[in-house]
Amino acid sequence: SQKIEQNSEALNIQEGKTATLTCNYTNYSPAYLQWYRQDPGRGPVFLLLIRENEKEKRKERLKVTFDTTLKQSLFHITASQPADSATYLCALSGTASKLTFGTGTRLQVTL
Amino acid sequence: SAVISQKPSRDICQRGTSLTIQCQVDSQVTMMFWYRQQPGQSLTLIATANQGSEATYESGFVIDKFPISRPNLTFSTLTVSNMSPEDSSIYLCSVEGSGRTDTQYFGPGTRLTVL
């Protein structure tokens, strides 16, 4: 069955450092991989999308890589700030416009 | 991006009762989605609701338990029927974004507690 795994342990990093979050998947050939941010008590907010034929995508301090051979995506936040503290979800889609979400990783950026 | 509102934002209900959650979008959209997010868990898709057709339910979810209405292109409701404590969860609606990339925009969610 399809499985999307993100590190369930919270990631604690110091302000100014680069945070790197991992998303691994099995039994899936996604056309798109997306990253969302979710704050407590709120719905997820779309951040970035990368297509299966793309290796890397950037947006301001965010960078996503996509390795379809390793079946892995890395999500980087450079120069992290306490305001970046949230849970980050990866989501995959193939056909039929349906998204399958990973378990999410909680990021905590401290001063 | 679309602006989505949900009502109620939270509710506490008794076992055996039903609750209807409303989702309103500020623009017309073809596809709307309903998710459940149990405490500490990720999002699980309940069903996809297209205007003018019956909702398509995911494995493990049935219409009798989660009836959905989609009367027009800006509105949908999800009813959680005959509730039990296991239905305590956050229920989220979302809509598809523009373009054909499967991006979705989410409402703020409805936090349901069943006693």
Side-chain angles (χ1 to χ4, degrees):
Chain A
S1 62
Q2 297 171 349
K3 200 171 180 181
I4 303 170
E5 290 185 332
Q6 296 181 251
N7 194 339
S8 58
E9 301 261 341
L11 178 62
N12 294 292
I13 65 164
Q14 199 172 23
E15 182 181 23
K17 303 291 187 185
T18 296
T20 299
L21 286 70
T22 305
C23 175
N24 295 295
Y25 59 93
T26 55
N27 298 322
Y28 210 131
S29 295
Y32 307 106
L33 187 145
Q34 305 180 36
W35 285 87
Y36 288 77
R37 168 183 173 143
Q38 187 173 26
D39 292 283
R42 303 232 170 163
V45 174
F46 169 73
L47 296 175
L48 270 176
L49 174 145
I50 188 164
R51 293 174 169 80
E52 61 179 335
N53 60 351
E54 297 176 318
K55 297 291 185 189
E56 182 178 299
K57 185 73 73 76
R58 292 175 185 259
K59 179 183 176 182
E60 298 173 353
R61 294 186 296 112
L62 308 180
K63 185 177 85 171
V64 173
T65 63
F66 194 10
D67 189 327
T68 54
T69 301
L70 289 179
K71 295 186 182 296
Q72 180 181 78
S73 173
L74 299 178
F75 178 76
H76 307 272
I77 305 174
T78 58
S80 58
Q81 305 164 0
D84 295 326
S85 299
T87 296
Y88 291 86
L89 304 164
C90 74
L92 279 63
S93 61
T95 58
S97 302
K98 294 195 302 185
L99 287 180
T100 303
F101 281 86
T103 50
T105 298
R106 191 164 62 85
L107 172 66
Q108 184 69 44
V109 181
T110 55
L111 296 170
Chain B
S1 62
V3 177
I4 304 160
S5 59
Q6 286 184 235
K7 288 182 184 179
S9 58
R10 59 178 60 223
D11 207 341
I12 300 173
C13 301
Q14 296 297 319
R15 180 195 298 260
T17 63
S18 298
L19 176 72
T20 296
I21 302 167
Q22 299 178 8
C23 180
Q24 179 77 51
V25 190
D26 70 341
S27 57
Q28 293 184 337
V29 293
T30 302
M31 299 181 76
M32 296 179 77
F33 306 88
W34 285 98
Y35 289 85
R36 181 174 72 184
Q37 187 171 29
Q38 293 178 306
Q41 304 294 314
S42 190
L43 285 76
T44 301
L45 181 64
I46 297 171
T48 303
N50 289 343
Q51 194 268 335
S53 62
E54 288 200 10
T56 303
Y57 289 82
E58 297 300 303
S59 175
F61 298 96
V62 295
I63 188 171
D64 289 346
K65 176 67 176 177
F66 297 101
I68 288 171
S69 78
R70 183 77 204 274
N72 58 52
L73 290 173
T74 62
F75 187 77
S76 178
T77 66
L78 169 77
T79 299
V80 186
S81 303
N82 188 24
M83 289 184 285
S84 67
E86 292 70 37
D87 294 318
S88 297
S89 189
I90 298 172
Y91 292 86
L92 296 132
C93 70
S94 72
V95 304
E96 58 177 348
S98 59
R100 304 180 71 173
T101 59
D102 303 336
T103 300
Q104 292 181 18
Y105 299 98
F106 285 81
T110 296
R111 182 179 294 271
L112 170 62
T113 302
V114 183
L115 302 177

